[in-house]
Amino acid sequence: MDIKQQLIAAIGQAATKAIADGVFVAGHLPEIALEVPPQKEFGDYATNFAMQSAKAAKMNPRVIAQAIIDRLNEPWLDKALLAGPGFINFYLKSDILYQDLADILAAGENFGQTNAGQGQRVQVEFVSANPTGPLHVGHGRGAAVGSALVNLLRVAGYQVEAEFYINDAGNQMDNLAASVNARYLELMGKTADFPADGYHGKDIIDTAERIIDKHGDKYLSMPEAERLAAFKEVGLKEKLAALKEDLEQFGVNFDVWFSERTLHNSGSVAATCELLKANGNIYEKDGALWLKSTAYGDDKDRVVIRDNGVPTYLAADIAYHRDKFARGFNKVINIWGADHHGYICRVKAAISAMGYNADNLEVMILQMVSLYQDGQLVKMSKRTGQGVTLSELIEEVGRDAARYFFIMRSTDSQLDFDLDLAKTHSNENPVYYIQYAHARIASIFRQVADAGLPVPAAWDQIKLELLTEQAEIDLIKKMAMFPEEVASAACERAPHRIARYAHELAGLFHTFYNQCRIIGVAPDLQAARLALVTAVRATVKQSLGILGVAAPDKM
């Protein structure tokens, strides 16, 4: 149990004693919440528990607070003080901080791992872009956030599967085939009508050129239906391979690639509709089959099978989510773009209609990304005159900067991506600032090695109590908070919290580095400070690892 949980338990025990002593009545007491005060003079932690309890206890919150303080007797607590209308400020003994540092050193690069998830099985589905062209910047945000969330959940003790849903059925694939067909015919000197909903990217021309290089005029003599079917398969295979390559380049890997086609070919879509018919949640109207989604909170009922017998996208999505829950996940997390916000209610309604708990589906909505360069909004690629692709962005700013900038803001806020800042090698660039902290520590140990100075073989023999400077204490306190930060960020599905934490920790380290000499001080103090920066290095590396960002030893 970490110190924060120990303190929460101690407050609860003190409140129970006060109730038993008749100081105040139990009532319905609130959950005990602790926060780190913004100013050091207000202690290490503070709580407003007494103020939150006042109504239920029918008593002045200051009386409740004092009753709790009087019943606290913990060996690691230096003092607890009543403040304001009923706050309690807690001051920890310095010994507990040194034990925290010793624990961090013992954990090494595994520091921060928790069992908050208790082994729950979670599926995270993200990106799931149509395999009809290259990934763009919006997909990049989903890829970075999704993969960071997967990393975060794993460190927090969840069993996680990352999944990509391949939209390889439906109109978009027909449009891909028709687009490739039109470009093929044009390149072969034939007249071709480009489809109204076709794909105009240069990658479509590239695909047609590769078909010609390999097969020449082979497809000209084919009936158009056969040619379209062939080009659909060629296009899908090529676009999917390019998509996977872009994601791997971005440090994103999936455990499962799930094909939408399999839902249709296996009969899963039809079977799911039959299930919903059987339980009374599908009805027929005007020759179509409708889901009774209004019975489960949707604003209107939805068509699942059109009057021509063709399933809607929703029908496949319902079958897909049925398949997800049949695989036994405790939670299913979908990361969708802002344009899918209105789709949430109908999918949750369908999940309820199938008899599953719709609360076990969580949908994270990603707001839009805007690129800026020289203070101006960038909409088009200089190379193609079309939208900026993910691969172009990586080429421009690098993988680490792209990932960090995509993750550093909450998913529910629009992201203004400053290309100039992302390329800057200065402290103003947050990812550079964090990576420089790790590289600086690596440089310290290179200097130690070059000077032939001793590095302790066992950190538990170090006199950590020599670390008394405020910059040192601040670093230890910040690192001690990391496991809780991981657990909270995982619970909130908020990887941006880790990005913020890493930046704050790096700031404290740079302050320490500028204020406290490490090499050349008294041997015991030097060893203690080397222990401290070893712990910082491990914590920074774990933080960056969650974000999918490298922790370089040289910059």
Side-chain angles (χ1 to χ4, degrees):
M1 187 185 297
D2 65 31
I3 190 62
K4 185 174 181 181
Q5 294 305 315
Q6 291 182 57
L7 181 53
I8 288 172
I11 295 167
Q13 292 165 7
T16 300
K17 289 178 185 176
I19 291 167
D21 293 343
V23 177
F24 58 90
V25 297
H28 181 67
L29 298 181
E31 183 178 350
I32 300 168
L34 293 176
E35 62 179 20
V36 177
Q39 294 171 277
K40 295 182 179 66
E41 58 264 32
F42 295 141
D44 297 294
Y45 291 102
T47 185
N48 65 351
F49 174 74
M51 297 160 66
Q52 295 292 315
S53 305
K55 185 175 182 180
K58 301 177 182 178
M59 183 164 286
N60 186 308
R62 287 180 59 87
V63 175
I64 297 172
Q66 191 60 55
I68 291 172
I69 291 170
D70 292 343
R71 288 161 178 79
L72 287 170
N73 185 26
E74 304 297 334
W76 39 261
L77 185 63
D78 184 34
K79 60 186 175 181
L81 299 179
L82 173 62
F87 290 103
I88 307 175
N89 295 333
F90 302 94
Y91 300 78
L92 305 179
K93 290 182 179 178
S94 57
D95 291 356
I96 194 68
L97 291 175
Y98 301 129
Q99 184 57 53
D100 284 338
L101 179 54
D103 291 343
I104 296 167
L105 289 164
E109 291 187 358
N110 292 322
F111 177 59
Q113 291 187 355
T114 77
N115 192 35
Q118 298 182 328
Q120 290 184 69
R121 290 193 65 217
V122 177
Q123 185 214 52
V124 184
E125 183 222 323
F126 57 105
V127 185
S128 297
N130 292 337
T132 54
L135 297 174
H136 57 63
V137 168
H139 295 132
R141 188 180 193 187
V145 169
S147 56
L149 178 61
V150 169
N151 296 337
L152 172 61
L153 292 171
R154 285 174 176 158
V155 172
Y158 296 81
Q159 294 184 60
V160 189
E161 285 188 17
E163 184 154 311
F164 188 110
Y165 181 58
I166 308 169
N167 293 275
D168 53 5
N171 290 337
Q172 72 273 8
M173 298 311 302
D174 293 336
N175 288 333
L176 173 63
S179 302
V180 173
N181 180 58
R183 295 307 187 200
Y184 173 82
L185 292 175
E186 287 174 356
L187 290 169
M188 294 300 293
K190 304 295 182 181
T191 302
D193 293 326
F194 201 83
D197 296 323
Y199 300 105
H200 294 267
K202 184 180 181 299
D203 60 294
I204 300 296
I205 298 173
D206 294 340
T207 297
E209 287 177 339
R210 280 189 285 270
I211 291 171
I212 294 170
D213 289 343
K214 186 173 182 179
H215 300 288
D217 62 358
K218 169 186 172 182
Y219 292 102
L220 279 180
S221 60
M222 258 188 199
E224 186 171 68
E226 289 183 28
R227 187 168 63 245
L228 287 169
F231 287 172
K232 181 187 291 188
E233 296 310 309
V234 171
L236 172 61
K237 182 178 179 180
E238 187 172 287
K239 301 310 171 196
L240 192 57
L243 188 151
K244 289 182 177 182
E245 184 178 344
D246 282 351
L247 289 169
E248 287 175 6
Q249 182 187 9
F250 201 41
V252 180
N253 296 286
F254 290 91
D255 302 301
V256 176
W257 292 80
F258 191 103
S259 166
E260 181 186 353
R261 285 185 181 183
T262 62
L263 295 170
H264 296 278
N265 297 340
S266 67
S268 179
V269 173
T272 301
C273 289
E274 288 301 319
L275 169 70
L276 291 167
K277 272 187 193 178
N279 68 18
N281 282 303
I282 275 184
Y283 63 92
E284 185 174 348
K285 176 185 171 185
D286 300 329
L289 296 182
W290 296 69
L291 175 69
K292 290 183 180 178
S293 47
T294 51
Y296 300 95
D298 197 4
D299 59 347
K300 61 182 180 180
D301 290 347
R302 307 287 176 174
V303 175
V304 289
I305 304 293
R306 300 179 181 90
D307 56 8
N308 60 3
V310 176
T312 62
Y313 287 118
L314 179 60
D317 284 337
I318 297 171
Y320 179 41
H321 284 82
R322 180 188 175 207
D323 183 274
K324 289 186 181 192
F325 285 111
R327 284 184 259 164
F329 294 110
N330 301 106
K331 290 285 184 181
V332 168
I333 301 173
N334 294 346
I335 301 179
W336 291 347
D339 56 338
H340 283 70
H341 191 279
Y343 204 66
I344 298 173
C345 194
R346 69 192 72 172
V347 173
K348 280 184 169 283
I351 289 169
S352 296
M354 288 187 290
Y356 296 109
N357 183 353
D359 290 339
N360 289 333
L361 167 66
E362 300 176 17
V363 179
M364 295 172 59
I365 292 295
L366 290 169
Q367 295 302 323
M368 302 295 289
V369 178
S370 297
L371 297 178
Y372 285 87
Q373 192 162 42
D374 299 326
Q376 301 296 314
L377 182 64
V378 178
K379 290 186 177 181
M380 297 298 178
S381 163
K382 294 177 182 177
R383 186 181 306 164
T384 66
Q386 297 177 327
V388 179
T389 65
L390 176 59
S391 61
E392 288 175 319
L393 179 69
I394 296 170
E395 185 181 326
E396 180 79 9
V397 305
R399 186 176 96 174
D400 289 339
R403 286 189 64 93
Y404 187 90
F405 274 61
F406 279 137
I407 297 166
M408 69 180 182
R409 299 278 182 264
S410 172
T411 56
D412 58 10
S413 62
Q414 180 164 326
L415 176 63
D416 291 339
F417 193 119
D418 188 332
L419 293 168
D420 298 313
L421 180 61
K423 291 187 290 185
T424 301
H425 289 182
S426 73
N427 290 342
E428 284 70 40
N429 180 348
V431 68
Y432 179 88
Y433 189 64
I434 300 166
Q435 290 180 315
Y436 187 47
H438 190 273
R440 227 175 192 178
I441 295 170
S443 174
I444 291 168
F445 281 96
R446 286 195 295 272
Q447 293 174 52
V448 168
D450 291 344
L453 298 173
V455 176
W459 295 117
D460 58 358
Q461 303 301 314
I462 302 302
K463 296 179 181 179
L464 299 178
E465 65 274 13
L466 296 176
L467 301 171
T468 57
E469 296 291 337
Q470 189 60 53
E472 296 166 331
I473 298 300
D474 290 345
L475 265 178
I476 298 170
K477 285 182 177 179
K478 189 66 177 179
M479 287 188 289
M481 294 169 60
F482 184 53
E484 181 196 342
E485 190 69 33
V486 167
S488 298
C491 182
E492 296 174 18
R493 320 304 192 215
H496 71 278
R497 287 185 53 161
I498 303 301
R500 181 178 63 202
Y501 173 89
H503 190 258
E504 291 171 354
L505 178 62
L508 292 173
F509 167 74
H510 290 307
T511 298
F512 157 78
Y513 182 87
N514 292 327
Q515 294 180 359
C516 301
R517 189 175 177 184
I518 300 170
I519 301 173
V521 296
D524 284 346
L525 179 58
Q526 176 177 288
R529 286 180 173 168
L530 287 175
L532 177 62
V533 298
T534 296
V536 175
R537 177 168 61 180
T539 309
V540 169
K541 187 173 184 178
Q542 178 76 293
S543 302
L544 290 175
I546 289 171
L547 303 177
V549 173
D553 287 339
K554 293 182 179 180
M555 292 181 69

